[in-house]
Amino acid sequence: MMAATATLPPLLLLVLLLAAVPAPSHGWGVDGHLMVCQIAQARGRLSGAAAAAVKDLLPSYAGNNLSSLCSWADDVKFRYPWSSPLHYIDTPDGLCSYTYDRDCKDEDGVKGRCVAGAINNYTSQLLTYGRPSSSVPEYNLTQALLFLSHFVGDIHQPLHVGFTSDRGGNTIDVHWYTRKTVLHHVWDASIIQTAEDDFYGDGVADFIDTLTKNITGVWSEQVPSWEECGKNQTACPDIYASESITAACDWAYKGVDEDSTLQDAYFSSRLPVVNLRLAQGGVRLAATLNRIFG
Ligand SMILES: *[C@@H]1O[C@H](CO)[C@@H](O)[C@H](O)[C@H]1NC(C)=O
Ligand SMILES: *[C@@H]1O[C@H](CO)[C@@H](O)[C@H](O)[C@H]1NC(C)=O
Ligand SMILES: *[C@@H]1O[C@H](CO)[C@@H](O)[C@H](O)[C@H]1NC(C)=O
Ligand SMILES: *[C@@H]1O[C@H](CO)[C@@H](O)[C@H](O)[C@H]1NC(C)=O
Ligand SMILES: *[C@@H]1O[C@H](CO)[C@@H](O)[C@H](O)[C@H]1NC(C)=O
Ligand SMILES: [Zn+2]
């Protein structure tokens, strides 16, 4: 290794090193986030005011396409190390419940530094959009939009609200069919990837299309309840976090041990949960943006 790498130009070496180290996973993979944002921005889901604000806040190179920047928050974890704890919530082992006051904190115990606190934070920043900003601190509202869009996705991934000691399934080694991975990654990406390979000839676009059809079809009667948030509340992350830890216990952790091999039975019983959480994430991101921008 030393002899071979010594002759490589430093930049190439860095690229190789970065490629060799698996990135710690934090939330739906790229496709999961893309689906959530694309569902939110699908025709008719955003109000006129929200659609206009999103268009205004997105950088021009994004071409009014929120989904193209839905994984931005994962890309800036090294540039903004303070943002890492904002992607998840660690709950007490085995309890299968979540409460904001008990659980929303980072590893140093700093309150509010979790994905639910971050959703509240970026929601209040975005509420200053279009208002005179003399009395409020200046925030970069483009970043606030990108963080919010990403975190509403993350909080719907059941293992983003997982147990503390296994770091949301990150320390549970499993085999996904023949491939070695960790349980957290199965829920971030493997189930979605296998569904694309097995059912969606054109990949993620086909998958989004089916989810979008089900939102206006089989799920249409439930959708208003997904969108609900308490009176006077703009964001409702605590509801989503409680649902996630329940789904984590009922589906993600259930029947899984260290070194379990997960295949067809696990895939086919868990895919409906993943489908539902992606759809709810997209619908709720749109509903939240509609409440923020009026
Ligand atoms: C938006 O961006 C995503 C990801 O880059 C891409 O897959 C999708 O086709 C784009 N949508 C439009 C309408 O350009
Ligand atoms: C709130 O947003 C600001 C600006 O991005 C950031 O510095 C701060 O860490 C955030 N806090 C939480 C809990 O999200
Ligand atoms: C806000 O953040 C975006 C994305 O990081 C960046 O491109 C832009 O330059 C920032 N705007 C300001 C005024 O700093
Ligand atoms: C869409 O709904 C149909 C009918 O209930 C179901 O069979 C299918 O798995 C659903 N697909 C997705 C992606 O939600
Ligand atoms: C909602 O806000 C309005 C105006 O601020 C207030 O009068 C009302 O009591 C609030 N309702 C609840 C349920 O908090
Ligand atoms: Zn994330």
Side-chain angles (χ1 to χ4, degrees):
M1 182 74 182
M2 285 305 280
T5 54
T7 61
L8 290 172
L11 182 61
L12 179 57
L13 181 57
L14 181 67
V15 169
L16 288 175
L17 283 175
L18 286 177
V21 179
S25 57
H26 281 293
W28 300 116
V30 169
D31 279 4
H33 282 292
L34 182 104
M35 289 192 250
V36 167
C37 281
Q38 214 153 301
I39 289 166
Q41 237 191 352
R43 184 184 301 276
R45 195 149 284 289
L46 289 179
S47 66
V54 166
K55 185 174 185 196
D56 179 38
L57 289 173
L58 281 176
S60 55
Y61 62 80
N64 193 27
N65 184 347
L66 184 59
S67 65
S68 68
L69 288 174
C70 219
S71 293
W72 173 88
D74 280 333
D75 302 336
V76 297
K77 256 182 248 159
F78 292 101
R79 204 194 312 162
Y80 302 141
W82 51 264
S83 68
S84 284
L86 304 181
H87 292 252
Y88 60 88
I89 297 165
D90 285 334
T91 67
D93 294 354
L95 272 193
C96 301
S97 73
Y98 156 82
T99 59
Y100 184 92
D101 289 338
R102 184 190 64 197
D103 303 331
C104 189
K105 53 182 168 23
D106 65 16
E107 283 174 11
D108 301 327
V110 181
K111 293 253 180 200
R113 299 203 67 79
C114 82
V115 65
I119 288 172
N120 291 331
N121 181 34
Y122 292 108
T123 296
S124 19
Q125 290 178 25
L126 287 169
L127 283 168
T128 68
Y129 176 77
R131 301 201 179 133
S133 58
S134 50
S135 60
V136 289
E138 285 285 332
Y139 293 111
N140 183 324
L141 296 187
T142 297
Q143 296 195 350
L145 173 68
L146 300 183
F147 275 128
L148 179 72
S149 303
H150 181 91
F151 294 146
V152 171
D154 276 350
I155 202 171
H156 281 84
Q157 205 277 52
L159 285 178
H160 268 245
V161 191
F163 297 150
T164 306
S165 67
D166 61 46
R167 299 179 43 244
N170 268 302
T171 66
I172 301 177
D173 296 311
V174 297
H175 282 85
W176 182 247
Y177 294 86
T178 55
R179 201 178 282 234
K180 226 172 141 5
T181 183
V182 293
L183 184 62
H184 188 92
H185 185 78
V186 167
W187 283 78
D188 269 354
S190 309
I191 295 174
I192 291 173
Q193 186 61 53
T194 300
E196 285 173 13
D197 294 346
D198 287 5
F199 307 131
Y200 301 106
D202 283 333
V204 68
D206 259 3
F207 199 158
I208 294 169
D209 202 46
T210 310
L211 286 170
T212 310
K213 287 201 176 102
N214 280 0
I215 288 167
T216 52
V218 290
W219 286 321
S220 60
E221 286 184 6
Q222 306 173 37
V223 165
S225 70
W226 299 354
E227 292 172 322
E228 258 169 40
C229 194
K231 271 211 183 67
N232 291 355
Q233 277 183 275
T234 313
C236 276
D238 294 339
I239 296 175
Y240 318 153
S242 295
E243 291 169 351
S244 272
I245 183 61
T246 301
C249 287
D250 291 352
W251 298 103
Y253 287 121
K254 191 158 209 160
V256 178
D257 297 307
E258 177 71 11
D259 281 329
S260 286
T261 294
L262 309 177
Q263 38 201 345
D264 286 346
Y266 191 90
F267 171 63
S268 56
S269 54
R270 273 57 172 185
L271 178 60
V273 180
V274 170
N275 289 339
L276 178 71
R277 296 306 276 164
L278 292 168
Q280 289 179 322
V283 164
R284 285 159 163 177
L285 173 57
T288 306
L289 293 172
N290 289 341
R291 285 189 291 263
I292 290 172
F293 298 114

